[in-house]
């Protein structure tokens, strides 16, 4: 019989190894915990944010809860509720969580922090950017300003970040804005006043359908002209099928696991490819109107982008279609879902609805009620309407604002190491009761829709005024700094005009239960968050005199 005591490995060794490893892990954790508390208490400048203690040496923090439900994690994890920056180690990479309103403001003030990698992920994984063009984007380290970043060797014509922002800003913030906004207003008025609803109550199985079809088509027509949707009637629907599967695309879920979404993306991609080819072959310089737009490309924006991409290396027809599809998706997703919420929030509170209708009707031009024509400037400056818009975004927009500094950056008293990813979440900022539930809003919980958080009584004019003063770093639905959303004015107009049209033209009663309106579990927050379920309503046309 074999004697077990003859084994070369002593019997007690495995237990020693286990105990020893546990001891080292615990010791590391305690040291990290100690240095975290120590650094937290120091107030001098030039300190790296404390590294959150982690037990597993190489792997660092494995945030299973984050991966399972990122929005819930941002709402509840102490990591996001520190009011000061902290560092995490995830595999070999350090990540800085920037938090505390002043630190978020300081992050926005930094110049030249790249966000291009986010666009890359979306373009390559979701919108099928071909490899050659993706490589040009990946290599562009020249930054978004006219003067390229020191040390960058990228050719001027390949500076995609810079060139695309110039053209984008011209459309959304510069001379293209007034014609774009005019087209948006008239398309929205036409589409929303013709919903198949008469003066009897009509049940609609999901109010969101109105937004995903009619309002989406109005928005696409305003940007790209009517030909895209006319030639491809399923385009608006396909955009939303892509949207509801966006994380699957980002994570590269294979086609057999995501068949319907892949089919929708193929169709949407082919639609843009076809529309671009049609616009390019039919365009003539004589078709350009006095504002620089033409009926083929819909606006000078897509025409100028076409020229810009043609000057770049590696951009064939497929690459151009991928970029345009990505832009069309991003100009619809957040704004349309927010427009849905602003409408729901007002229709479900009869007192608020009454007050909103009063403001809206004061902006209808005399005698122009069928369909209503608004004094848009006046409409956009109504205090309650602006407060309702701001509160809608506070409650329903959740996202991570990501930046990648190449070199060390100083944010107030913290030094952020170059090369670390910086992540700020709009969620704790928007949901902090210590900020939002004070003064006259003290009795209104942070989850309550309470637009008065943004209203002040002006004792000089004796009028209510809307104000965002003091909310810097706390109200950040559009991000901030040089990467702040360029579509914010477009979104404001789209939201407030939607609300004005809906409350003027229709009565609407919500039939949905609270659960359908809740945030869906497992939400990856990428901006405006859709409701969990369908939102049935009954609607009827109002008799507008
Ligand atoms: C309620 C509606 C919207 C919300 C909540 C929203 C939110 C955002 C946020 C958070 C960012 C990133 C900002 C940052 O990193 O600091 C962003 C970027 C962007 N948004 Fe919006 N957005 C909205 C509507 C729109 C619309 C309507 C358009 C176009 C018509 C648009 C076009 C863009 C573009 C092109 C960028 C990239 C800017 C850059 O990287 O420089 N957005 N948006």
């Amino acid at each position: 019989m074999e004697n077990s005591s003859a084994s070369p490995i002593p019997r007690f060794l495995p237990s020693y190894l286990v105990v020893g490893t546990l001891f080292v892990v615990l010791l590391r954790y305690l040291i990290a915990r100690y240095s975290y508390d120590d650094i937290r208490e120091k107030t001098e400048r030039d300190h790296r944010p404390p590294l959150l203690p982690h037990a597993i040496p190489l792997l660092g923090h494995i945030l299973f809860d984050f991966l399972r439900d990122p929005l819930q994690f941002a709402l509840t994890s102490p990591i996001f509720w520190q009011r000061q920056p902290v560092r995490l180690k995830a595999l070999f990479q350090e990540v800085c969580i920037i938090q505390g309103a002043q630190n978020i403001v300081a992050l926005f003030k930094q110049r030249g922090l790249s966000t291009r990698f986010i666009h890359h992920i979306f373009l390559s994984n979701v919108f099928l950017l071909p490899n050659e063009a993706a490589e040009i984007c990946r290599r562009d380290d020249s930054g978004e300003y006219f003067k390229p970043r020191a040390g960058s060797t990228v050719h001027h014509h390949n500076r995609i970040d810079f060139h695309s922002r110039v053209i984008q800003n011209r459309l959304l913030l510069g001379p293209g804005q007034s014609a774009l906004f005019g087209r948006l207003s008239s398309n929205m008025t036409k589409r929303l006043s013709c919903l198949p609803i008469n003066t009897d109550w009509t049940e609609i199985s999901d109010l969101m359908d109105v937004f995903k079809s009619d309002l989406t088509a109005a928005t696409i027509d305003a940007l790209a002209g009517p030909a895209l949707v006319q030639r491809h009637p399923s385009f608006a629907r396909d955009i939303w099928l892509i949207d509801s599967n966006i994380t699957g695309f980002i994570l590269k879920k294979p086609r057999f696991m995501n068949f319907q979404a892949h089919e929708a993306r193929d169709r949407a991609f082919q639609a843009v490819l076809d529309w671009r080819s049609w616009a390019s072959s039919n365009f003539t310089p004589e078709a350009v109107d006095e504002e620089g737009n033409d009926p083929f490309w819909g606006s000078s924006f897509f025409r100028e982008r076409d020229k810009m991409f043609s000057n770049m290396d590696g951009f064939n027809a497929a690459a151009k279609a991928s970029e345009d599809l990505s832009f069309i998706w991003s100009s619809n997703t957040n704004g349309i879902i927010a427009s849905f919420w602003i409408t729901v929030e007002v229709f479900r509170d009869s007192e608020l609805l009454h007050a909103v209708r009063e403001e809206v009707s004061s902006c209808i031009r005399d005698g122009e009620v069928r369909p209503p024509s608004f004094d848009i400037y006046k409409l956009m400056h109504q205090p309650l309407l602006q407060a309702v818009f701001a509160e809608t975004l506070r409650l329903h927009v959740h996202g991570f604002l990501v930046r990648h500094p190449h070199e060390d950056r100083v944010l107030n008293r913290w030094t952020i190491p170059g090369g670390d990813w910086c992540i700020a979440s709009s969620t704790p900022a928007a949901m902090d009761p210590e900020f939002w539930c004070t003064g006259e809003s003290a009795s209104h919980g942070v989850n309550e829709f309470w637009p008065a958080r943004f209203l002040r009584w002006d004792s000089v004019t004796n009028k209510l005024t809307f104000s965002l003063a003091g909310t810097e770093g706390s109200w950040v639905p559009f991000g901030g700094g040089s990467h702040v959303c360029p579509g914010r004015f477009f979104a404001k107009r789209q939201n407030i005009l939607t609300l004005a049209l809906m409350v003027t033209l229709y009565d609407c009663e919500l039939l949905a239960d609270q659960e359908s309106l809740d945030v869906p579990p497992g939400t990856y927050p990428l901006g405006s968050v859709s409701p969990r379920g369908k939102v049935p309503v009954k609607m009827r046309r109002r008799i507008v005199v």
Side-chain angles (χ1 to χ4, degrees), residues 300-373:
S300 57
F301 170 76
F302 285 107
R303 200 175 68 233
E304 286 171 10
R305 263 163 74 94
D306 182 60
K307 212 186 270 171
M308 170 191 83
F309 290 131
S310 299
N311 288 336
M312 276 176 196
D313 299 327
F315 271 79
N316 58 12
K320 292 174 184 176
S322 160
E323 286 271 1
D324 283 354
L325 179 58
S326 162
F327 183 85
I328 293 170
W329 167 77
S330 72
S331 44
N332 277 281
T333 170
N334 286 320
I336 303 275
I337 295 171
S339 301
F340 162 84
W341 280 118
I342 199 172
T343 308
V344 166
E345 294 292 3
V346 171
F347 272 124
R348 70 169 160 176
D349 177 340
S350 56
E351 230 174 279
L352 179 62
L353 175 61
H354 181 75
V356 162
R357 276 187 173 146
E358 270 192 13
E359 272 198 354
V360 168
S361 63
S362 74
C363 303
I364 298 181
R365 289 205 179 96
D366 281 348
E368 297 190 46
V369 286
R370 272 204 203 100
S373 164

Side-chain angles (χ1 to χ4, degrees), residues 108 115 119 165 168 172 327 330-331 334-335 338 393 397 401 403 477-480 482-487 490-491 528:
F108 290 159
T115 59
H119 300 254
R165 280 165 60 97
Q168 187 176 287
L172 296 168
F327 183 85
S330 72
S331 44
N334 286 320
L393 300 194
V397 171
L401 306 164
R403 302 288 191 271
F478 292 119
S482 65
H483 290 284
V484 64
C485 172
F490 185 94
S528 308

Side-chain angles (χ1 to χ4, degrees), residues 383-384 386-388 390-392 394-395 430-456 464-471 475:
L384 181 58
Q386 293 186 85
V388 166
E391 181 70 344
T392 299
R394 183 188 73 79
L395 269 181
M431 302 304 286
D432 183 353
E434 285 184 26
F435 181 82
W436 293 104
C437 308
T438 54
E440 291 183 5
S441 300
S443 57
H444 299 278
V446 79
N447 290 314
E448 185 186 340
F449 188 82
W450 182 244
R453 293 180 219 279
F454 298 93
L455 293 172
R456 310 273 173 276
L464 265 189
T465 55
F466 164 76
S467 174
L468 285 174
T471 66
W475 188 82

Side-chain angles (χ1 to χ4, degrees), residues 36 48 56 79 123 130 241 311 325 344 350 397-398 424 427 493 526 539:
Y36 172 72
R48 290 183 173 208
I56 311 169
I79 291 180
L123 281 163
L241 269 170
N311 288 336
L325 179 58
V344 166
S350 56
V397 171
H398 298 277
T427 303
R493 175 168 291 231
L526 297 170
M539 287 177 75

